[in-house]
Amino acid sequence: MKALVLQGHEVVLITRSNNAPSVQAAIVAQELSVGSTYYELPAWCLRWKRWRGGTYFYYLLWQYGAYRHARRLHRARPFDLVHHITFASFRQPSFMGALGIPFIFGPVGGGETMPRQLRRGLSWSGRFREILRDTANALVGYDPLMHFTFSKASLIACTTAETKERIPAPYRRKCVVLPTIGIDPRDFETAPIIKNNQISFLYVGRLLYWKGLHLVLRAFPAVRRHLPEVRLKVVGEGSDLPWLKRIADECGVANCVEWLPWMPHKDIASEYRNNVAFVFPSLHDSGGLVVLEALTAGLPVICLNLGGPGAIVNSSCGVVIDATDAEEGTVLKLLAEAMVTLAQKPHIRETLAANSLSRALSFTWERAAERLYSSTSLKF
């Protein structure tokens, strides 16, 4: 939103009223000229969120109501373009295309798929959830509401190439690949240094099975054989924490893993400056904002060539491990080798660190907005 305003666009935001305090605070703090309007379903609809699947129906009705609200605003003062960014999922429809003006859908993600051979190391519940996710992705091609959304879109922004391939073929010509995340470099400190002699690696994110932290834990025994004093700092919270701690115990690395709760951004920023590398082997992440934050802080990243992180990181600023067809044992070996190399060869780490900021700068909000809104697919 800020990038659009700075580029000279007049922006009207439609969101839920519970977002009003944070929206207004951001508008005031950043001195933005943004019109904001709010739409709410009847209060009794909130009870739907209490049962599994209810959020989807709430979201669907809210989107339709928001469209009707936007239509009233459009009649009073016509818009040139409408841009849908809610939920960032290619499985959730939008009705904004019915306004009859250029319509951008996205960036949306969720089409990324965890390699099947890497699911064997998951819990049974994790494997089952992956099957459900695969099924939901497959059903998009048969969903009339999604076909309506895609057909009305002037432009479909997909977070990754994998999501683009999930868009039904008749609409794929409208697609561009554009991350759903971005940075403002002014929000981050640069030129990090390791302030102590302790060798440690950092993970920041939700503690969920598909984030891939279990791969780091299983790779850590091999790292310790070369770096006996190595540490792993884990910052985050999530429902799979007990499972991850069991893996750490089973691998004999529990005593070198530091589990830290989620912390304010300023404290995480200091962590970026005190580690050898950021390890983030997510298995189907559409975005990966923490990866961009690490790069902006000058911290090299070790990740897999999957999803958003695999599209953000390259050999200039980190180590990208090919996991598309690799068995888990191979991935663990390559993860361990990457960590050992960056710890034992400071000149390699320093080169990657020096290139990290320049790589992150190619993913600023300003560049994303310029690329999206200058598309020839949009005819005002």
Side-chain angles (χ1 to χ4, degrees):
M1 185 170 66
K2 179 180 179 181
L4 292 177
V5 172
L6 292 178
Q7 290 179 13
H9 297 284
E10 182 180 351
V11 179
V12 175
L13 172 69
I14 301 178
T15 185
R16 289 187 58 202
S17 58
N18 66 320
N19 295 320
S22 57
V23 168
Q24 293 304 317
I27 289 174
V28 172
Q30 300 180 42
E31 300 180 344
L32 299 178
S33 178
V34 175
S36 54
T37 181
Y38 304 96
Y39 171 74
E40 282 292 350
L41 290 173
W44 59 265
C45 293
L46 287 171
R47 71 184 65 172
W48 293 344
K49 290 189 172 185
R50 299 173 188 170
W51 53 276
R52 187 178 297 274
T55 300
Y56 173 80
F57 292 105
Y58 183 91
Y59 174 87
L60 190 65
L61 285 182
W62 188 90
Q63 286 296 335
Y64 182 69
Y67 152 69
R68 290 170 61 93
H69 182 68
R71 187 175 61 182
R72 289 191 291 270
L73 296 176
H74 181 53
R75 287 172 177 169
R77 186 180 180 187
F79 299 117
D80 296 312
L81 176 147
V82 59
H83 188 168
H84 172 103
I85 58 174
T86 310
F87 264 32
S89 171
F90 89 115
R91 298 183 294 267
Q92 309 291 343
S94 172
F95 301 95
M96 293 298 179
L99 289 175
I101 57 178
F103 164 47
I104 298 177
F105 183 57
V108 290
E112 303 77 23
T113 301
M114 184 185 301
R116 294 189 180 277
Q117 74 279 4
L118 296 182
R119 301 182 187 191
R120 298 169 191 152
L122 302 179
S123 64
W124 283 107
S125 64
R127 297 184 208 181
F128 180 67
R129 279 179 278 179
E130 286 304 300
I131 292 174
L132 292 179
R133 187 173 184 275
D134 290 344
T135 302
N137 283 349
L139 290 176
V140 167
Y142 303 96
D143 186 340
L145 290 178
M146 291 313 306
H147 277 274
F148 171 83
T149 301
F150 297 142
S151 66
K152 292 294 185 180
S154 305
L155 193 66
I156 304 169
C158 303
T159 57
T160 62
E162 294 97 318
T163 293
K164 178 180 176 180
E165 289 304 309
R166 289 285 186 174
I167 303 296
Y171 315 113
R172 215 168 288 156
R173 59 181 173 78
K174 303 179 180 182
C175 295
V176 297
V177 176
L178 187 76
T180 191
I181 56 174
I183 59 165
D184 185 340
R186 291 164 291 192
D187 293 339
F188 301 93
E189 297 181 39
T190 58
I193 58 172
I194 299 176
K195 297 181 179 179
N196 53 57
N197 294 323
Q198 180 179 330
I199 298 174
S200 62
F201 293 86
L202 178 67
Y203 169 92
V204 177
R206 289 179 290 167
L207 303 183
L208 303 174
Y209 73 92
W210 54 271
K211 290 291 186 176
L213 180 58
H214 63 284
L215 298 175
V216 182
L217 297 172
R218 288 172 178 157
F220 230 59
V223 179
R224 291 188 75 184
R225 286 195 288 272
H226 296 273
L227 307 167
E229 303 302 319
V230 69
R231 304 282 298 175
L232 174 65
K233 291 184 179 181
V234 177
V235 179
E237 299 171 349
S239 58
D240 285 322
L241 175 59
W243 177 65
L244 292 167
K245 285 190 172 182
R246 283 198 302 272
I247 292 176
D249 287 333
E250 293 166 1
C251 293
V253 297
N255 63 336
C256 62
V257 180
E258 185 177 359
W259 303 92
L260 301 172
W262 196 256
M263 57 180 66
H265 181 271
K266 61 182 178 63
D267 296 329
I268 294 178
S270 67
E271 289 294 340
Y272 288 139
R273 299 191 298 275
N274 284 280
N275 292 276
V276 174
F278 186 74
V279 190
F280 196 75
S282 181
L283 293 160
H284 56 57
D285 209 309
S286 295
L289 180 59
V290 288
V291 170
L292 271 183
E293 292 180 351
L295 293 177
T296 306
L299 186 64
V301 175
I302 300 172
C303 69
L304 308 183
N305 66 331
L306 303 174
I312 294 170
V313 182
N314 61 22
S315 59
S316 73
C317 59
V319 180
V320 183
I321 295 166
D322 187 355
T324 307
D325 299 308
E327 295 292 336
E328 182 174 299
T330 300
V331 173
L332 299 184
K333 178 176 178 291
L334 294 174
L335 278 172
E337 288 177 354
M339 286 186 273
V340 171
T341 297
L342 294 189
Q344 290 186 336
K345 299 182 178 180
H347 64 285
I348 294 179
R349 182 201 177 276
E350 289 168 6
T351 298
L352 297 178
N355 295 329
S356 294
L357 178 58
S358 60
R359 178 61 178 171
L361 288 175
S362 62
F363 295 94
T364 63
W365 288 118
E366 287 80 3
R367 289 194 179 189
E370 181 179 358
R371 180 183 172 194
L372 199 58
Y373 278 69
S374 62
S375 173
T376 56
S377 299
L378 301 176
K379 301 188 187 320
F380 295 89

